[in-house]
Amino acid sequence: MLRQGRVHMVNIVTLASGERWMLDVAFGGDGPTKPLPLISEHVTQNLGTQEVRLIHSTIPQQLEQNPKLWIYQYRNGKDKDWNSFYAFPEMEFFQADFEIMNFFTSQYSGTINFQKTTVLIIRFLRRETEEEGIVGKLMLVNGEVKRNDGGKTRLVLTCTTEEERLKAFKEHFDIRLTDEEVNGIKGRNVELLGNS
Amino acid sequence: MASAYSLAQIEQYEEYVSLPTRFRKASKPALDSAYLTALHIHQISSIPYENLILHYSTHHTVSLDPETLFNKMVTDKRGRGGYCMENSIFFNHVLRALGFRVYTAGVRVRPRVEGIPAGDYLGW
């Protein structure tokens, strides 16, 4: 399935020491589970066997080789190739810039905008010990609830009706919607209408 | 620019995401990578990435107003999060309120073909 029309953003922190860190808390299931240093090719262990890193380089579409971009890459094992997922410049973006991106992502209903055709939830699972960390993720994609504990993703359940999906929001994600919100799905392209 | 969030809101947030006591503002933690890591972990395990507002709402639109985001994700206590810009702008104001020097950057994403990112990067 081709999913297009994704826009994204990250936070960049500069510490007193001069170290810079990227914090991406909203990319979904393939996002980093901890901050990544802006150090080219510095590898960080992500969920399970996945490794992630930033490289300071260029992407093929660039006509000018400067300024370089920071490219977020992952590989699902040490024997696998690195794959580039997204790229960002060091330039600061303002609230006003995101308002424009947000208008497209929330309002444009063409097929290029997968947000309007997909119901999505991703919540990471935390280990509650001295050494805190992310150990898994729970996902909902349209009618399917899936879970990954660091290995293969497994299907937990499939919802075919709105009633079942609302139950899954509550029981698996602890998300409770108001009656008004629940009614908002009626007649929409992503409404679950059962198998009949 | 100052954070949109007050000290009272930050305390509400710390409680909501179950941040360990040593990393709460009242404990005056050093502004270092260990603190950032704790915040990152508690943020993504407490406030989900979700786009329900586009489907389950009367207006089917998304507000990026920091106060609206705070109420949706924390005050209302209904387990809600938001999509990339909602969560990232919310988190930006949290980091600012805690004293971090932080800014936001736009990201170009590659589309996935059968789960694997491929081809040209998409526009902002």
Side-chain angles (χ1 to χ4, degrees), chain A:
Chain A
M1 179 182 166
L2 192 62
R3 288 177 168 173
Q4 297 198 335
R6 280 203 74 159
V7 298
H8 191 48
M9 64 181 284
V10 293
N11 276 281
I12 297 171
V13 169
T14 306
L15 298 177
S17 62
E19 283 171 39
R20 290 184 302 164
W21 293 81
M22 177 199 85
L23 288 91
D24 178 359
V25 295
F27 188 59
D30 288 300
T33 57
K34 54 186 86 132
L36 301 185
L38 263 64
I39 298 172
S40 196
E41 298 184 34
H42 177 99
V43 178
T44 299
Q45 190 69 37
N46 216 35
L47 186 58
T49 57
Q50 189 178 66
E51 292 179 329
V52 292
R53 69 178 186 182
L54 295 173
I55 61 166
H56 200 214
S57 186
T58 53
I59 61 175
Q61 281 152 281
Q62 282 178 273
L63 298 180
E64 291 288 336
Q65 300 302 294
N66 282 298
K68 288 181 178 174
L69 301 175
W70 288 98
I71 303 168
Y72 172 65
Q73 299 187 315
Y74 76 95
R75 66 177 178 187
N76 288 332
K78 288 192 191 299
D79 56 333
K80 305 269 170 53
D81 290 332
W82 289 100
N83 208 340
S84 301
F85 230 136
Y86 62 66
F88 57 95
E90 292 183 9
M91 187 180 84
E92 180 175 1
F93 280 55
F94 304 142
Q95 177 87 18
D97 300 315
F98 297 119
E99 296 287 355
I100 292 167
M101 289 154 65
N102 184 51
F103 185 78
F104 172 83
T105 315
S106 64
Q107 301 303 304
Y108 184 68
S109 294
T111 50
I112 191 175
N113 187 6
F114 91 102
Q115 291 283 356
K116 291 294 244 188
T117 60
T118 316
V119 178
L120 279 176
I121 309 174
I122 292 106
R123 189 164 63 81
F124 284 96
L125 306 168
R126 187 174 74 233
R127 180 179 49 219
E128 305 270 2
T129 55
E130 279 297 296
E131 183 80 18
E132 284 192 330
I134 297 298
V135 291
K137 58 188 174 186
L138 197 56
M139 299 160 281
L140 180 139
V141 182
N142 291 323
E144 293 185 342
V145 177
K146 297 185 275 192
R147 185 179 170 119
N148 183 306
D149 291 292
K152 283 243 178 254
T153 297
R154 63 187 172 85
L155 184 67
V156 176
L157 76 114
T158 304
C159 309
T160 57
T161 64
E162 280 303 318
E163 198 178 23
E164 288 170 4
R165 185 157 63 183
L166 292 169
K167 193 163 166 252
F169 288 167
K170 192 156 178 264
E171 292 181 358
H172 292 273
F173 298 92
D174 200 25
I175 290 177
R176 284 138 290 139
L177 301 179
T178 63
D179 291 344
E180 199 177 47
E181 288 167 346
V182 168
N183 287 330
I185 197 81
K186 287 192 179 135
R188 307 290 293 186
N189 58 343
V190 295
E191 184 181 11
L192 291 179
L193 299 167
N195 285 327
S196 58

